[in-house]
Amino acid sequence: MYIILVYDISVKDPKGSGVMRKVFKKCKEFLNHIQNSVFEGELTEGQVMQLKYELSELIRADKDSIIFFSSREEDWLNKEILGLNKNAFTNLL
């Protein structure tokens, strides 16, 4: 399944920056980083469940949020980019 993941980690307290770094690293293990706190990629249902579990262990439910958007495949999703396409640079690597 094709996943777009976005997160919002509160950095108003000293622990927030650490949480954000851990969430970023965990997301990079599973998905492609496309913009600031946005990731995308193809995952199996099992991988999605594992990622959700691991992220739920990292975030503070009263301060942070993560949103998963899913589609059967990338072709079912219209994506339009205005301005700099940061993903174009990662595709060159």
Side-chain angles (χ1 to χ4, degrees):
M1 92 179 46
Y2 189 75
I3 300 294
I4 296 176
L5 179 151
V6 296
Y7 64 77
D8 186 15
I9 306 298
S10 175
V11 292
K12 291 182 180 177
D13 59 66
K15 291 184 180 182
S17 293
V19 171
M20 188 167 15
R21 276 191 303 280
K22 290 176 185 175
V23 167
F24 179 87
K25 286 180 183 180
K26 185 54 63 181
C27 291
K28 286 267 302 177
E29 289 179 25
F30 288 83
L31 298 165
N32 299 311
H33 182 228
I34 60 168
Q35 187 175 19
N36 294 334
S37 59
V38 182
F39 293 80
E40 68 179 355
E42 283 285 335
L43 297 178
T44 65
E45 286 188 44
Q47 288 172 316
V48 172
M49 290 174 52
Q50 180 181 353
L51 179 57
K52 286 180 179 179
Y53 173 77
E54 292 182 24
L55 289 173
S56 71
E57 296 291 307
L58 297 175
I59 66 168
R60 301 154 303 164
D62 61 330
K63 297 180 182 185
D64 309 320
S65 67
I66 299 174
I67 302 172
F68 285 79
F69 297 93
S70 63
S71 177
R72 287 183 227 167
E73 55 189 62
E74 186 176 3
D75 294 341
W76 285 70
L77 178 71
N78 290 330
K79 180 168 61 172
E80 182 177 352
I81 299 170
L82 301 177
L84 178 64
N85 180 356
K86 293 182 179 183
N87 198 30
F89 298 112
T90 59
N91 289 338
L92 296 175
L93 301 176

